[in-house]
Amino acid sequence: MNVSIIGSGYVGTTVAACLADLGHEVVNVEIDEDIVDAINAGEAPIHESGLEERIAEHAGASLRATTDYDEVLETDVTLLCLPTPQSDDGSLELAPMRAGAEMLGDALAAKDDDHLVVVKSTVLPGTTEEVVAPILEEQSGTAIGDGIDVAMNPEFLRMGTAVQDFLEPDKVVLGTRTDAAAEQLRELYAPILANDDTHLVETDVREAELIKYANNAFLASKVSLVNDLGNIAKEYGADAYEVLEAVGLDDRISERFMRSGLGWGGSCFPKDVAALRAGAREQGYEPELLDAAVAVNDEQPRRLVDLLADHVDLEGARIAVLGLSFKPGTDDIRKSRALDVVEYLRERGAAVVAYDPVAMDNVREQYPDLEIEYADSAAGALEGADGAVVATDWPEFDALEFDGMARRVLVDGRRIDVDKDELDVYEGLTW
Ligand SMILES: NC(=O)C1=CN([C@@H]2O[C@H](COP(=O)(O)OP(=O)(O)OC[C@H]3O[C@@H](n4cnc5c(N)ncnc54)[C@H](O)[C@@H]3O)[C@@H](O)[C@H]2O)C=CC1
Ligand SMILES: O=C(O)[C@H]1O[C@H](OP(=O)(O)OP(=O)(O)OC[C@H]2O[C@@H](n3ccc(=O)[nH]c3=O)[C@H](O)[C@@H]2O)[C@H](O)[C@@H](O)[C@@H]1O
């Protein structure tokens, strides 16, 4: 199938490279020329395992990138993978979606054949049919159902495992208005749907939009519940990991997403939970459980710093912060809990020396005012430190050695597997 993908960030690039790999002809339409040049040169504009080799193999053949929206005219279906950020008040910011839909609509004015526009970005119920569709109609001069159709197909991939998650998902959700659109999308995903472990969910557009938010809200709330229970376990002197491992053996609960500690960050859970809460309020409903999930999440970094302060006088102390990215396997620092830890440590008068295998440049660039000394290695960060905290569970931290520390005190926010005998004090946030 000939597919165009608007927006070539984490999702758009991954989806494009994977669809080319599955045998489709794919063109990425992107406003950032550096990204376009990278893809056309066979290079991955983002770091994701398995992405570079796929782009290298298909670039110049079944995978191309362009800044020219008119290239969608050669395709049958367009996937919108545009950003849907959080506005200052927490609500969903639709300006990039509107701008992309306008440019796409302009281009589609010159198309004679049928065209399917699929929203893959995370958007609140009603956005596809009440915001995107009217813009497409207005700009193209074609009514929806009269040549142009719209559908919604949320994406569930995770950063760090994006390629594998896309190619082997638990489920593919197709929210469509017509049988023709459903059939076209089943054909697009046929190689993925051939896997017996992948569920196909066929539903309406509005349900597909909400499935994505409900999915993320559920996962974020699960981690917050696990943290609430973990904090209770800590108060009782019990190990939350042993408790929750047993709890997870109940099929109704599942053992995945049960890691308590510093909480959830990243570019998705915080913004999506915020958008759903704002959307719910707009509809007249108070989402109290989601409010509580955010409140628990917001407190974990402070709890970590308080725990450290039980063992180290933070005023004037040198504290090593291990890990800055929002989770291991990525250099993404958006809403990383580690940054809150740094801020609270600074508030309490500590000098912070940090190490992260890949995320330090991003912190330097995006938070130039954050007073951090950067170390070349975890050992370098620990050298002479009066205490240390683990903020991201990078596997390399399991091999930490603590010889160089001035005081061997470690407070672990992520349950890494260190040799505790080497430490004078080892405290887990929830164990
Ligand atoms: N990052 C993730 O792990 C996941 C993200 N999502 C959702 O997918 C959507 C996209 O997210 P990301 O790929 O992470 O965003 P991103 O910010 O990495 O990429 C968006 C891309 O769109 C480009 N762009 C902006 N306006 C444009 C326009 N008018 N025309 C063409 N290109 C334009 C930007 O230059 C950027 O490269 C969001 O709704 C997000 O919530 C869904 C699942 C996973
Ligand atoms: O909508 C999105 O964009 C994506 O958001 C998340 O993916 P991602 O943010 O990449 O990362 P996760 O692996 O889900 O981790 C999110 C946060 O939760 C934390 N977490 C996760 C699991 C756990 O048990 N405990 C825990 O604290 C992680 O450290 C991290 O800060 C979802 O898992 C994806 O399904 C979804 O597509």
Side-chain angles (χ1 to χ4, degrees), residues 212-258:
K212 172 66 194 179
Y213 278 100
N215 215 92
N216 272 0
F218 200 100
L219 290 171
S221 302
K222 183 173 184 184
V223 175
S224 280
L225 177 59
V226 157
N227 282 335
D228 213 21
L229 294 169
N231 295 339
I232 294 171
K234 183 80 182 173
E235 296 297 333
Y236 275 113
D239 181 338
Y241 275 72
E242 280 190 35
V243 172
L244 290 161
E245 199 180 319
V247 171
L249 296 175
D250 188 323
D251 273 353
R252 292 169 300 176
I253 294 173
S254 142
E255 58 204 335
R256 296 176 68 190
F257 255 68
M258 280 289 214

Side-chain angles (χ1 to χ4, degrees), residues 328-367:
T330 176
D331 63 357
D332 198 322
I333 55 162
R334 284 176 284 180
K335 301 278 180 197
S336 171
R337 312 277 68 204
L339 300 175
D340 296 313
V341 170
V342 170
E343 203 181 301
Y344 296 143
L345 284 168
R346 291 290 306 131
E347 264 174 33
R348 297 183 68 161
V352 172
V353 50
Y355 170 72
D356 187 286
V358 295
M360 292 192 293
D361 284 347
N362 280 344
V363 182
R364 269 195 204 98
E365 275 166 32
Q366 293 169 38
Y367 295 88

Side-chain angles (χ1 to χ4, degrees), residues 77-107:
V77 51
T78 300
L79 306 183
L80 292 177
C81 298
L82 292 162
T84 49
Q86 185 176 332
S87 50
D88 290 341
D89 64 0
S91 63
L92 176 62
E93 172 59 68
L94 283 175
M97 285 297 290
R98 287 200 175 92
E102 256 178 48
M103 289 190 259
L104 177 62
D106 279 346

Side-chain angles (χ1 to χ4, degrees), residues 6-13 29-32 35 46 69 80-85 96-97 99-101 103 120-123 154-159 212 216 267-268 271-272 334:
I6 312 287
S8 191
Y10 274 95
V11 173
T13 306
V29 182
E30 164 63 55
I31 48 174
D32 184 329
I35 294 179
I46 52 159
Y69 268 75
L80 292 177
C81 298
L82 292 162
T84 49
M97 285 297 290
M103 289 190 259
K120 209 167 187 17
S121 301
T122 302
V123 293
E155 179 52 52
F156 300 94
L157 63 79
R158 289 163 298 172
M159 292 170 72
K212 172 66 194 179
N216 272 0
S267 66
C268 300
K271 89 165 168 68
D272 292 347
R334 284 176 284 180

Side-chain angles (χ1 to χ4, degrees), residues 128-258:
T128 303
E129 289 169 298
E130 290 156 26
V131 178
V132 174
I135 294 174
L136 292 173
E137 285 185 322
E138 167 92 24
Q139 299 301 124
S140 67
T142 307
I144 300 296
D146 194 22
I148 296 179
D149 196 1
V150 290
M152 205 281 159
N153 161 229
E155 179 52 52
F156 300 94
L157 63 79
R158 289 163 298 172
M159 292 170 72
T161 48
V163 169
Q164 195 194 342
D165 287 348
F166 179 78
L167 291 171
E168 295 166 32
D170 293 336
K171 57 183 178 256
V172 170
V173 176
L174 306 179
T176 55
R177 301 167 56 255
T178 60
D179 290 344
E183 197 180 323
Q184 206 168 357
L185 287 174
R186 280 196 302 270
E187 194 188 324
L188 180 72
Y189 290 121
I192 293 174
L193 294 171
N195 185 337
D196 287 342
D197 292 333
T198 300
H199 299 277
L200 171 63
V201 179
E202 296 199 57
T203 184
D204 291 337
V205 171
R206 193 169 279 266
E207 278 74 16
E209 291 170 324
L210 192 52
I211 286 169
K212 172 66 194 179
Y213 278 100
N215 215 92
N216 272 0
F218 200 100
L219 290 171
S221 302
K222 183 173 184 184
V223 175
S224 280
L225 177 59
V226 157
N227 282 335
D228 213 21
L229 294 169
N231 295 339
I232 294 171
K234 183 80 182 173
E235 296 297 333
Y236 275 113
D239 181 338
Y241 275 72
E242 280 190 35
V243 172
L244 290 161
E245 199 180 319
V247 171
L249 296 175
D250 188 323
D251 273 353
R252 292 169 300 176
I253 294 173
S254 142
E255 58 204 335
R256 296 176 68 190
F257 255 68
M258 280 289 214

